[in-house]
Amino acid sequence: MGVDVGNARVGVATCDPDGILATPLKTLRRDMKKNSDRRVLRKLIEVHEVTEVFVGLPKTMSGGSSASTEMAEIYAQALANELSTDGHQIPVHLVDERLTTVSAHRSLHEAGVSSRDFRAVVDQVAAVNILQFSIDTVKAGKNLPGYTLTPQTLSAEESVDTLPANETENPSD
C-alpha cells in the first residue's frame, strides 16, 4: 500500500496481488486530534490484506528535512506502532517521495482534470506514484531510498508525537 501524508488529507493506493500495478484507492481526511484517519487506514490495510506499507517521505530538493518530513515520520511511526499493537507484523517503509505531488499534478493536468477537481484525487495519485516507484525499485532488486521503521513500545505517558524525529528512525538502516 502506498500512503501520501498531507496536512489535510492522506492519499492511499494499493496494488494487485502480484505487486505489478499500483492503483488509487481512497483519500482520507486528516484528523490530527482523534487520529481517525489512521484507524481507517489500518482497517484498509486489513481488508486489502496488505503485506507492506510505503509512506512518502517528503525531502527537500537538496535532500534535507522540513516540517512535512517530520510530519510524515511521526505519522508513519505511529502507524507502525499501532499495527504492531494490533498484532500485525506489517513493515512500514518511509520512501523518498520528492516530486511525487508535482508529478501527480502534471499527470492530472495531462489527463484533462480541471485544477479545481485536483484536490479530490491528487493525494491518491501521489500515493500511486509512491507505491509504483517502490514496487518497481524492489522488483529491480535495488534498495529503496529511505528506511524501514521499527515499531516502538511507548509508556502510557508517552506518545509518538513527543519523540524527536531522530528517535523515529531505525539506526541500522
Side-chain angles (χ1 to χ4, degrees):
M1 178 172 280
V3 180
D4 179 61
V5 181
N7 285 317
R9 293 173 304 280
V10 177
V12 182
T14 187
C15 68
D16 60 287
D18 295 323
I20 296 171
L21 183 63
T23 55
L25 179 63
K26 191 172 189 76
T27 300
L28 306 175
R29 185 186 329 237
R30 270 303 290 276
D31 179 359
M32 293 191 216
K33 291 182 181 174
K34 297 180 184 175
N35 298 316
S36 62
D37 53 310
R38 284 202 312 266
R39 279 195 300 277
V40 172
L41 183 57
R42 290 193 324 268
K43 187 66 176 171
L44 290 171
I45 288 168
E46 183 180 329
V47 167
H48 290 275
E49 300 177 354
V50 171
T51 58
E52 291 185 86
V53 178
F54 300 92
V55 178
L57 184 62
K59 298 260 189 175
T60 64
M61 288 308 293
S62 64
S65 296
S66 67
S68 295
T69 307
E70 184 176 349
M71 178 184 61
E73 289 173 329
I74 290 169
Y75 190 93
Q77 186 65 64
L79 179 62
N81 295 348
E82 292 162 357
L83 288 169
S84 179
T85 299
D86 292 347
H88 301 292
Q89 299 307 312
I90 299 170
V92 177
H93 310 278
L94 276 160
V95 181
D96 188 341
E97 64 143 311
R98 279 179 268 192
L99 300 178
T100 56
T101 302
V102 171
S103 176
H105 276 273
R106 185 180 312 121
S107 297
L108 290 170
H109 179 70
E110 289 171 0
V113 177
S114 70
S115 295
R116 64 182 158 80
D117 295 331
F118 273 23
R119 236 181 237 182
V121 294
V122 70
D123 300 296
Q124 290 177 43
V125 175
V128 165
N129 290 343
I130 292 163
L131 182 55
Q132 192 66 57
F133 170 76
S134 299
I135 290 168
D136 294 344
T137 302
V138 170
K139 286 207 180 275
K142 297 180 181 176
N143 291 328
L144 284 170
Y147 55 93
T148 303
L149 294 167
T150 302
Q152 299 175 357
T153 305
L154 304 175
S155 70
E157 297 82 36
E158 292 178 305
S159 80
V160 75
D161 299 330
T162 62
L163 293 175
N166 64 348
E167 290 187 30
T168 63
E169 292 185 25
N170 182 354
S172 65
D173 288 340

